[in-house]
Amino acid sequence: MGTLFKSELMSRCQLYLPPEAAYNCVAELGELGLAQFVDLNPDVSAFQRQFVGEVKRCEEMERKLRYVETEIVKEKIVIAEESEGNIPAPAPREIVELEASLTTIENNLREVNTNYVALRKNHLELSELKNMLKKTEVFLSENQ
């Protein structure tokens, strides 16, 4: 794997990729770590770019992963670190499966959290009623 130091010999080239091969080519270049990308259309807004939908989907998946991570940290669950240095970019089909899986996990976590809050509330209410019944029993037994 090379480096991108200023003093290192570099070449500037322009790639024209067909849309169906662009993902795989950019993924390979990214995994090599030897490419630097320059925006040739700086005047184009982010919403006018070709792959804005995919970027938004990735940002949404990142948000879901952050939510799962906060829940894991909150519960003090230990997760083994990945020992592999380079994790390859997933294929587009795998991204769709990952997105569906993350959505399911997020929904399940939210449901579990909602149920936990409801159960805690019910527990507190029942504990209060139990204590009130005990006090009432003591009070009534003293009066007889």
Side-chain angles (χ1 to χ4, degrees):
M1 184 165 167
T3 60
L4 293 177
F5 291 121
K6 235 180 190 180
S7 60
E8 193 169 339
L9 183 62
M10 298 171 99
S11 298
R12 185 175 183 153
C13 61
Q14 192 169 6
L15 293 174
Y16 293 99
L17 302 170
E20 58 274 359
Y23 181 87
N24 293 330
C25 292
V26 172
E28 284 293 323
L29 287 171
E31 288 171 15
L32 291 173
L34 298 173
Q36 180 178 354
F37 296 95
V38 177
D39 189 1
L40 297 177
N41 299 314
D43 54 331
V44 177
S45 74
F47 298 105
Q48 294 173 330
R49 298 193 183 264
Q50 188 174 4
F51 298 106
V52 76
E54 285 83 353
V55 171
K56 285 183 180 179
R57 283 177 52 206
C58 288
E59 287 174 347
E60 181 65 16
M61 286 191 288
E62 184 180 16
R63 182 198 62 76
K64 291 174 184 178
L65 282 170
R66 278 194 312 268
Y67 174 72
V68 171
E69 181 185 29
T70 57
E71 292 299 314
I72 288 171
V73 169
K74 187 170 73 174
E75 295 298 322
K76 298 178 182 125
I77 299 172
V78 178
I79 296 180
E81 290 291 324
E82 184 67 34
S83 62
E84 210 174 299
N86 284 342
I87 299 173
R93 181 183 71 253
E94 292 172 336
I95 291 176
V96 171
E97 293 169 2
L98 179 63
E99 185 177 21
S101 176
L102 284 174
T103 301
T104 303
I105 290 170
E106 182 192 30
N107 290 339
N108 288 345
L109 271 175
R110 290 195 186 280
E111 186 178 342
V112 165
N113 284 340
T114 303
N115 291 341
Y116 177 75
V117 169
L119 283 172
R120 289 287 297 167
K121 182 181 174 190
N122 287 345
H123 181 268
L124 288 173
E125 288 174 357
L126 290 172
S127 296
E128 183 181 334
L129 288 172
K130 180 180 173 184
N131 287 334
M132 196 167 63
L133 286 172
K134 283 182 181 178
K135 297 286 183 182
T136 306
E137 182 183 23
V138 169
F139 178 74
L140 291 176
S141 65
E142 286 176 355
N143 288 339
Q144 290 178 357

